Amino acid sequence: MNLFSLSYKNLLRHKTRFFLTLLAIMSSTAVLFSLLSFHRGFDRELSKELENTGVHFMIVPSGCPHEVASLILHGAVIPKFLSPDLLKEVNKLDSIALVTPILVFQMANQQKASVVLIYGLEFDALKTLKPHWKINGSLPSNDREIILGYEIAQHDNLKVGDNYPIGQALYRISAVLEKTGSQDDAFVYLSIKNAQGLLKKDDAFTALAVKVKDTANINEVIESLTKDIPGIQIVTISQILNSLSSVANSAKILSLSVAFIAIIISAIGLMNSILMSAFERRQETGMMRAVGAGRLDIFLIYTIESVLQTFTGSIMGIVISLIGSKAIETIVKKMMPYSPSGEMITFNLDIALMCLALSLSIGLIVAFYPAWIASRISPVEAIKS
Amino acid sequence: MIETKNLTKVYKRGIESVYAVKDVTLSIKKGEFVSIVGQSGSGKTTLLQIIGCMDMATSGILKINDNEIQNSSNKTMTKLRRETFGFVFQQFYLMPGLTVYENMVMPLLFSRNKSDKAYVDSLIEIVGLKGKEYNLPSQISGGEMQRVAIARSLINKPQCILADEPTGNLDSSNSEKIFELFSRLNETGLTIIMVTHNQDLAKRTKRIIEIKDGAIR
Ligand SMILES: Nc1ncnc2c1ncn2[C@@H]1O[C@H](COP(=O)(O)OP(=O)(O)O)[C@@H](O)[C@H]1O
Ligand SMILES: [Mg+2]
């Protein structure tokens, strides 16, 4: 027997209390660990996704805030359009490898009394615009065919081959997008010509996605474009990355604050439970002092009890959040303004160690006061009742 | 081995002063078996606690093995409790989560002494708990619990056992067993100081100290 096994046996004396304290520490550590892992994965997947797009920058109407501009890549509705001539002008430039128009808008669906989000694009450019996409079915081969986002297909229980009504016409679903976990899931994708027809605005588009021939002179291309063409704004992929991260940052901070509050609450619960057992075990502690325990011994017994609980609880929390990572990921993605696709919660040793270190320090800090109180109990307590 | 001179303990109760121990001067030699008797509230427990370095006297002198203890540090007092004395209480104070064996060896955690298997086995034999080592306190009788407590008080090989009404919670046959155990231990040279209400048992010890209102009569 040593002080550790003594402390452990003391904990087992109140199994319910022990279990509840563990549960609280486990839950709060699970939340913290999942969130930190998620945020790490978020940044990693976001930059991976944006690096993968063949697009180097987007041209959007000027006055369009960065956030909105960046969301165009993933679908956001803005009420401004670019001049129809712009596409031809940009196309003329030697330095440009590809330029493709995008038209995003929402329209009422009379039959369903709901709003449909329309994403018009040139399907030829799909591989460049959305390289990470996985679709079931085949790419639309004519103007009457469309791709449905995952959520729409789920919601209306639609499959490849079914018809989907937009405006007055029926469209054939040639493909359904696999779940991306991002805004992409909520759109209907159709050829830009069709989209323009639905909007009754020929040649209208909300953005141009541009790929340059030589990435070394992206900056020169952007500079000359902004100088020559009025009324436009150019947003590069790295700016998009930055603004997406900054949009995500406030959500990150909010979610982390929730995790820290959960940790503080469970720490207070732990402190309360140690304090309670310190008071309950006055006589027993007095007896230990009488049979030769020093103040430090008593202090250690209570401290070890605390640390054993935070340590066990946080290991359980980490394991639980790894086991439930899929479910947790889905929930957290819903809370974020934008999420890249891809698996985000993975095991990171440094995050796990950080969570353990945090729980150990909380165990030590929280134990200090109760352990100090217990260490002051006089041996006389044991005999006087 | 124990000497006191004008040992006094005063408790303040409001503006009133209670003399729990009053001018106690006594000397107990190594190997004695002493019983302390007196009415409830006469100060027996307080005296035993001061002798056993669990409490400080308000005034007077306490010498243990010729060392003056008054005004000693906490550390010295703890060391004396750990090495020189063994305590036995009326309420046994066994730890409910630990087995008989673990309760017995518990003080070794604090003395950092190595567990001497042969010695522990001999103690189990002496207190008559062979076969019950792995029982929990809830699974044994009151008499057996007190014998566990006695084994626990002996684990660090003390020079003196201080027992505060060790038979107070036991029936007469169990009381008899505990007393016989003390007698046998005393025959091996151990000093025993026992507070008791039981006149019959007290009469069988070599020396009786009677306390009244904190003072020796
Ligand atoms: N902590 C204390 N505070 C105040 N008075 C006390 C305290 N401990 C004991 N006393 C008083 O001291 C006297 C002696 O008590 P005690 O030594 O327990 O007697 P006994 O063990 O002989 O019954 C009693 O009057 C008791 O009320
Ligand atoms: Mg008493």
Side-chain angles (χ1 to χ4, degrees), chain A residues 148-158 164 185-188:
Chain A
L148 276 197
Y150 175 81
E151 269 171 27
I152 303 183
Q154 279 287 305
H155 185 263
D156 296 341
N157 204 7
L158 294 166
Y164 188 81
D185 292 343
F187 276 83
V188 174

Side-chain angles (χ1 to χ4, degrees), chain A residues 34 38 179 319-334 342-346:
Chain A
S34 307
F38 182 90
K179 188 174 182 168
V319 171
I320 289 282
S321 61
L322 287 173
I323 292 173
S325 65
K326 276 275 173 298
I328 296 169
E329 206 166 298
T330 317
I331 296 167
V332 186
K333 270 187 176 177
K334 287 223 168 75
E343 201 169 286
M344 273 165 243
I345 300 185
T346 48

